[in-house]
């Protein structure tokens, strides 16, 4: 009976295939998904945190400032100059918008691409000594700061002082740097290792310039100070970040 064994083997394989296909049909027949519910069910996304009120402006700065911007009107940007501090193509120029009464860095170019380019938005007044103060709120950017005594037609060849702060989640150090940039080349004047600022909450950064003495305060506390033996002359001041989006600024004050 040996000649019957191939037929038996073929019949067994055929029955096995019928069973497998029958199982697939039962599992995926019309209406099965509705009866059993979705195969994958993702958890609901948590709501975005609510942005709280801005920090209070001290009375001493609010009285008689040289310049103040609270971005309450849609034409508030008319008094500002947008600058890319790194080389970028014209189509990758940084975007700035007014969003619910606040200044927002809105990525780069018409397509709103993320860019690591350092960018600044400068106010009109040209000043030497004084206090530059700004409130900032980081949604997902991670880099914030101030530019002061800015001089130059091209951002990556300009001369200025810069305060650069990193959020605590970044591994890079130091987290806080005060630097002097001459013809696009940065030299640190002071630095603090950490811990970095907390995202999704308001902070206040201040840069005070008196001749060659510079002091940086974060949330009212002295953070860094330095003395520049060859201080930069007068120039523009403004806010600093990267063209990644997700950074809000408000209540920019330049006071004597």
């Amino acid at each position: 009976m040996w000649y019957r064994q191939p037929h038996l083997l073929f019949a067994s394989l055929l029955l096995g295939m019928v069973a497998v296909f029958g199982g697939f049909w039962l599992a995926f027949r019309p209406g099965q998904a509705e009866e059993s519910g979705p195969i994958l069910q993702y958890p609901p996304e948590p709501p975005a945190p609510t942005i709280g009120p801005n920090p209070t402006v001290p009375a001493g700065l609010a009285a008689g400032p040289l310049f103040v911007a609270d971005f309450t009107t849609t034409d508030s940007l008319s008094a500002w100059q947008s600058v890319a501090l790194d080389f970028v193509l014209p189509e990758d120029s940084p975007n700035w918008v007014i969003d619910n009464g606040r200044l927002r860095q809105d990525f780069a170019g018409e397509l709103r691409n993320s860019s690591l380019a350092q960018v600044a938005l400068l106010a009109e007044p040209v000043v030497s000594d004084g206090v530059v103060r700004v409130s900032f709120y980081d949604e997902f950017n991670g880099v914030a700061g101030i530019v002061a005594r800015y001089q130059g037609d091209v951002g990556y060849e300009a001369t200025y002082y810069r305060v650069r702060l990193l959020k605590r989640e970044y591994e890079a150090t130091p987290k806080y740097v005060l630097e002097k940039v001459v013809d696009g080349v940065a030299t640190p004047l002071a630095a603090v290792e950490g811990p970095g600022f907390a995202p999704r909450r308001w902070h206040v950064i201040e840069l005070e310039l008196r001749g060659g003495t510079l002091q940086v305060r974060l949330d009212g506390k002295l953070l860094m100070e330095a003395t520049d033996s060859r201080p930069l002359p007068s120039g523009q001041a403004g806010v600093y970040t990267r063209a990644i989006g997700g950074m809000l600024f408000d209540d920019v004050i330049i006071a004597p």
Side-chain angles (χ1 to χ4, degrees):
M1 302 297 292
W2 59 270
Y3 58 85
R4 294 184 179 178
Q5 292 180 357
H7 297 284
L8 293 175
L9 179 60
F10 176 78
S12 299
L13 290 174
L14 182 60
L15 289 174
M17 293 176 64
V18 169
V20 170
F21 283 110
F24 274 109
W25 182 85
L26 289 173
F28 296 101
R29 71 183 187 276
Q32 182 68 24
E34 289 80 6
E35 295 174 4
S36 302
I39 298 175
L40 286 177
Q41 186 171 7
Y42 295 99
E45 294 186 5
T50 301
I51 300 174
N54 301 4
T56 304
V57 177
L61 289 178
L66 299 174
F67 177 85
V68 60
D70 55 10
F71 307 105
T72 55
T73 61
T74 56
D75 62 349
S76 299
L77 288 178
S78 61
W80 295 81
Q81 174 190 356
S82 178
V83 176
L85 301 177
D86 297 320
F87 173 78
V88 297
L89 297 174
E91 56 266 29
D92 294 325
S93 297
N95 301 323
W96 300 88
V97 298
I98 305 298
D99 184 4
N100 291 322
R102 283 139 180 172
L103 172 68
R104 177 187 293 275
Q105 203 296 310
D106 196 39
F107 304 98
E110 292 184 3
L111 298 179
R112 298 177 66 249
N113 294 320
S114 294
S115 170
L116 292 177
Q118 301 176 99
V119 296
L121 194 68
L122 305 173
E124 283 185 343
V126 174
V127 295
S128 178
D129 289 356
V131 177
V132 184
R133 181 188 193 271
V134 62
S135 302
F136 71 90
Y137 184 99
D138 177 32
E139 293 180 305
F140 53 80
N141 188 300
V143 183
I146 287 175
V147 166
R149 293 184 184 172
Y150 176 96
Q151 291 186 329
D153 297 324
V154 181
Y156 56 87
E157 297 177 348
T159 296
Y160 50 92
Y161 291 117
R162 177 171 60 203
V163 178
R164 179 165 49 86
L165 311 181
L166 303 180
K167 69 178 180 180
R168 62 190 180 190
E169 284 79 4
Y170 281 169
E171 295 182 0
T173 57
K175 291 291 196 299
Y176 311 125
V177 178
L178 169 62
E179 50 197 356
K180 179 182 183 180
V181 181
V182 178
D183 297 332
V185 180
T187 301
L189 299 177
V192 176
E193 290 298 317
F197 64 80
R200 296 196 176 276
R201 55 167 290 191
W202 283 103
H203 298 278
V204 177
I205 181 70
E206 291 182 3
L207 172 60
E208 183 171 359
L209 307 98
R210 306 292 175 191
T213 301
L214 297 89
Q215 293 185 328
V216 179
R217 294 179 179 84
L218 178 62
D219 297 331
K221 297 180 179 180
L222 182 64
L223 180 62
M224 296 176 286
E225 58 183 332
T227 300
D228 186 0
S229 59
R230 302 181 64 182
L232 299 178
S234 60
Q236 291 174 273
V239 299
Y240 162 84
T241 185
R242 289 186 183 269
I244 308 174
M247 181 62 71
L248 302 177
F249 295 99
D250 208 347
D251 296 326
V252 180
I253 294 177
I254 302 174

